Amino acid sequence: MSGLSMKAIEKAFGTVRVLNGVNFDVRPGEVHALLGMNGAGKSTLMNILAGAILPDAGTITIDGTPCAFSSPREAKQAGIGLVVQEVDTALFPGLPIYENLAADELADVKHHPIRSLREEKKWAAALLHRVGLSIPPTKLVRDCSLHEKQLIVLAKVLSSNARYIILDEPTAALSEAETKRLFAIIHELKQQGVGFIYISHKLKEVQEIADRLTILRDGRIIYQGAAGSLSLEDIVLHMTGTKQAATAKQARTYGSEIAFAARGIKIDKTSTTVDIYAHRGEIVGIAGLVGAGKTELAESLVAHRKTSGEWQLDGQHYTFSSPYEAIAAGLCLIPEERRKQGLFLPESVQTNLTVRLLSWLSRWQWISRMKETNAANGLVRSLGIHPPSPSTAVRHLSGGNQQKVVIGKWLNTNARVFLFDEPTKGIDVHAKQDVFSIIRTLADEGKTVLYFSSEFRELLEVCDTIYIMVDGRLLARLPAAELTYEQLVYYCSGGEIDGPAGRFRDTVEKSGVVYS
């Protein structure tokens, strides 16, 4: 029998059963999408297939031959490849591309083919060409774009002769053009007999690229069949168990007082200077396409990137030279790459939630475990983190629950300005609504929220005011209620802003914040 098959897979973590007799298969040359809400069991099923964890029961076969993977290395040898969502965690940024591609071979000393440096670079160039990249193999990974890094990881997977490749949220941080290029590469590899397991919350893209769908809910198969046989509404219904109701945006009010302002913030990557401000209790969106400079601005505002400028919080002026100084003044950043920059993955939920509270939890450098446990339990309950076990390692949580942990560690601190960089990246519709609820609650409490995103519909849903960002510049500051989705796309794509540009200048002048 040709293909990969998983039969009656079961897995539990303590008393929480995550997978209940799941059957899943992939045929050569097809894209089989695996869908479900955060916590449905997708990640656990794929971790079993990739050899990261062992199942409690069930079998895996490839072309009719039983397989039992006790490590990722064994899964790779059997032809299983994994392209993770946070591609930076799979690469060495300080090494050139060709050394990254050869890293697994170099680690396997017994089977590493002997190649000259010239042959190594030629081999790497051929792999890059196979995934549609025409960049020199000597380029350092840290100088590559996110899209290039993703394709480098795909090339690395292909170098191990992977026949079945798991793509975890592959388009979460890609532009529309980059997504189309990725899909073209997938179609080409399908013709070569490569099978794909495609995990994504972007359902329209799933309908475009997938041949078959499997939908998980609470660790059980809810639907399995052709991708074209279900509408988007039906897919959501199977994923959630309830019909998606349209919700009208509720009008919010916020104060007239400027709570946060930054002037002359230099973004080195784009060689631009940015001025920005927000009122107390205001949710301010920064809308821009992928590559517009949103992340660079967010990191510059907390002095994570080398920058210059002036900050103003509640009327007090600052200059920051380090994240420590920015955090001490009341700024915090929920980063786009939560697994890389926002979490201690091997540590427990409790440790991650309380890491910013150590000065309060400790006395004479001794941590009060009772205080720590009580603080963590309170946050787990209020945030709705699942499973509700503070002792669970955070790496075992779904993306949505991990994001709640990243946010939660700042809630009991002195943070006054919350910067959210692509906060819904790779999380499902229910988790998104939970994140929106947290953001609205923070604003209602008088906190100031800056929301950096390329998801324009989300910005219109949650924000009071939206900045338009193009090529590292903020071009306009507009009331969200006066914008449409089509206008946001047009403006962020470089479309001319006529009337709104004038309103932007008037609003800046009336704000009382001095801009150059």
Side-chain angles (χ1 to χ4, degrees):
M1 177 182 177
S2 179
L4 182 151
S5 177
M6 305 177 76
K7 294 287 187 183
I9 303 296
E10 296 189 8
K11 183 64 182 180
F13 294 105
T15 60
V16 179
R17 183 157 295 280
V18 181
L19 296 174
N20 292 275
V22 172
N23 298 323
F24 184 80
D25 68 279
V26 191
R27 301 162 189 160
E30 79 160 348
V31 175
H32 191 155
L34 181 61
L35 305 179
M37 307 297 285
N38 282 311
K42 305 185 302 298
S43 297
T44 301
L45 186 66
M46 290 301 99
N47 280 330
I48 289 171
L49 180 59
I53 59 177
L54 295 174
D56 297 333
T59 60
I60 300 174
T61 60
I62 297 179
D63 297 335
T65 302
C67 302
F69 306 138
S70 59
S71 68
R73 179 180 178 183
E74 292 181 3
K76 285 181 184 178
Q77 291 172 342
I80 308 298
L82 171 62
V83 179
V84 295
Q85 180 180 343
E86 290 85 2
V87 290
D88 284 300
T89 62
L91 297 168
F92 299 100
L95 296 180
I97 295 171
Y98 73 90
E99 290 188 8
N100 272 274
L101 293 176
D104 290 344
E105 288 187 350
L106 291 169
D108 191 358
V109 178
K110 292 183 179 179
H111 301 95
H112 175 54
I114 299 175
R115 289 191 291 257
S116 67
L117 184 59
R118 182 179 179 182
E119 291 172 333
E120 194 91 346
K121 294 176 182 177
K122 185 177 179 181
W123 167 81
L127 276 174
L128 294 175
H129 178 73
R130 191 179 178 191
V131 296
L133 278 180
S134 56
I135 55 179
T138 53
K139 184 177 181 179
L140 293 179
V141 163
R142 66 172 170 237
D143 296 329
C144 296
S145 68
L146 185 59
H147 177 58
E148 289 172 340
K149 291 176 186 177
Q150 189 173 56
L151 293 180
I152 291 167
V153 175
L154 179 57
K156 185 177 178 181
V157 166
L158 291 172
S159 73
S160 63
N161 297 316
R163 298 163 54 206
Y164 301 98
I165 299 177
I166 305 164
L167 297 176
D168 187 5
E169 298 288 351
T171 65
L174 300 188
S175 67
E176 186 176 346
E178 290 168 340
T179 297
K180 288 181 178 179
R181 287 200 294 271
L182 176 63
F183 283 4
I185 293 165
I186 291 173
H187 282 300
E188 184 177 338
L189 292 173
K190 280 175 60 179
Q191 294 174 0
Q192 299 172 22
V194 178
F196 289 91
I197 302 168
Y198 193 93
I199 302 172
S200 179
H201 293 298
K202 296 186 177 182
L203 301 183
K204 287 187 178 180
E205 291 181 0
V206 168
Q207 286 187 317
E208 179 182 348
I209 193 66
D211 301 299
R212 286 193 294 152
L213 299 176
T214 289
I215 300 176
L216 283 175
R217 189 168 77 233
D218 298 329
R220 292 183 171 85
I221 298 291
I222 300 300
Y223 173 85
Q224 227 168 29
S229 61
L230 289 181
S231 67
L232 284 177
E233 292 76 13
D234 288 335
I235 293 175
V236 173
L237 176 60
H238 285 308
M239 288 171 60
T240 64
T242 57
K243 288 189 176 182
Q244 189 175 14
T247 56
K249 180 181 177 181
Q250 295 181 350
R252 294 187 66 256
T253 58
Y254 53 87
S256 59
E257 177 188 357
I258 300 294
F260 171 76
R263 182 180 64 188
I265 303 300
K266 180 71 178 295
I267 304 178
D268 285 339
K269 182 179 179 181
T270 53
S271 298
T272 54
T273 301
V274 171
D275 301 329
I276 189 170
Y277 74 93
H279 300 88
R280 185 178 308 283
E282 185 180 16
I283 304 174
V284 176
I286 293 85
L289 301 176
V290 173
K294 300 184 302 299
T295 293
E296 289 76 12
L297 173 57
E299 292 180 345
S300 295
L301 287 173
V302 294
H304 174 65
R305 290 176 180 265
K306 185 179 179 181
T307 188
S308 58
E310 299 176 7
W311 287 258
Q312 178 182 318
L313 277 79
D314 295 328
Q316 188 171 350
H317 293 270
Y318 298 87
T319 55
F320 300 137
S321 59
S322 69
Y324 176 84
E325 294 176 358
I327 291 169
L331 275 74
C332 69
L333 172 64
I334 290 83
E336 177 181 8
E337 301 296 335
R338 56 179 169 266
R339 291 171 62 88
K340 179 184 177 184
Q341 297 175 302
L343 296 166
F344 299 108
L345 287 173
E347 301 297 333
S348 67
V349 170
Q350 176 168 301
T351 297
N352 277 274
L353 282 173
T354 59
V355 67
R356 301 298 315 175
L357 305 175
L358 290 179
S359 60
W360 175 73
L361 297 173
S362 60
R363 186 178 182 185
W364 306 110
Q365 297 184 344
W366 290 93
I367 296 174
S368 168
R369 294 303 178 189
M370 180 178 293
K371 276 188 176 182
E372 183 184 33
T373 300
N374 290 339
N377 284 334
L379 287 168
V380 166
R381 286 193 301 270
S382 63
L383 294 168
I385 295 171
H386 182 80
S389 173
S391 61
T392 301
V394 77
R395 66 167 175 260
H396 293 318
L397 300 185
S398 65
N401 285 294
Q402 287 180 348
Q403 187 69 312
K404 291 178 185 179
V405 173
V406 178
I407 299 170
K409 71 182 179 184
W410 296 105
L411 296 185
N412 292 334
T413 68
N414 70 332
R416 294 177 282 171
V417 180
F418 286 74
L419 284 69
F420 290 82
D421 187 11
E422 299 287 359
T424 63
K425 177 181 174 182
I427 66 177
D428 65 45
V429 63
H430 278 187
K432 287 180 182 180
Q433 292 304 320
D434 288 343
V435 170
F436 294 164
S437 178
I438 294 169
I439 288 173
R440 293 188 184 105
T441 298
L442 287 170
D444 290 342
E445 292 173 351
K447 310 292 186 182
T448 299
V449 175
L450 301 183
Y451 190 113
F452 300 77
S453 182
S454 55
E455 297 290 344
F456 298 150
R457 297 189 192 279
E458 294 178 7
L459 288 167
L460 292 171
E461 178 179 350
V462 77
C463 294
D464 304 308
T465 306
I466 296 177
Y467 279 95
I468 305 297
M469 189 170 200
V470 178
D471 296 333
R473 292 179 172 84
L474 296 181
L475 302 184
R477 188 183 197 275
L478 310 169
E482 297 181 13
L483 286 168
T484 65
Y485 172 77
E486 290 75 18
Q487 284 176 317
L488 266 185
V489 173
Y490 175 71
Y491 295 153
C492 290
S493 300
E496 185 176 352
I497 306 172
D498 297 321
R503 291 202 302 275
F504 174 56
R505 297 181 188 280
D506 291 342
T507 305
V508 169
E509 290 170 3
K510 292 175 182 177
S511 70
V513 181
V514 179
Y515 286 85
S516 56

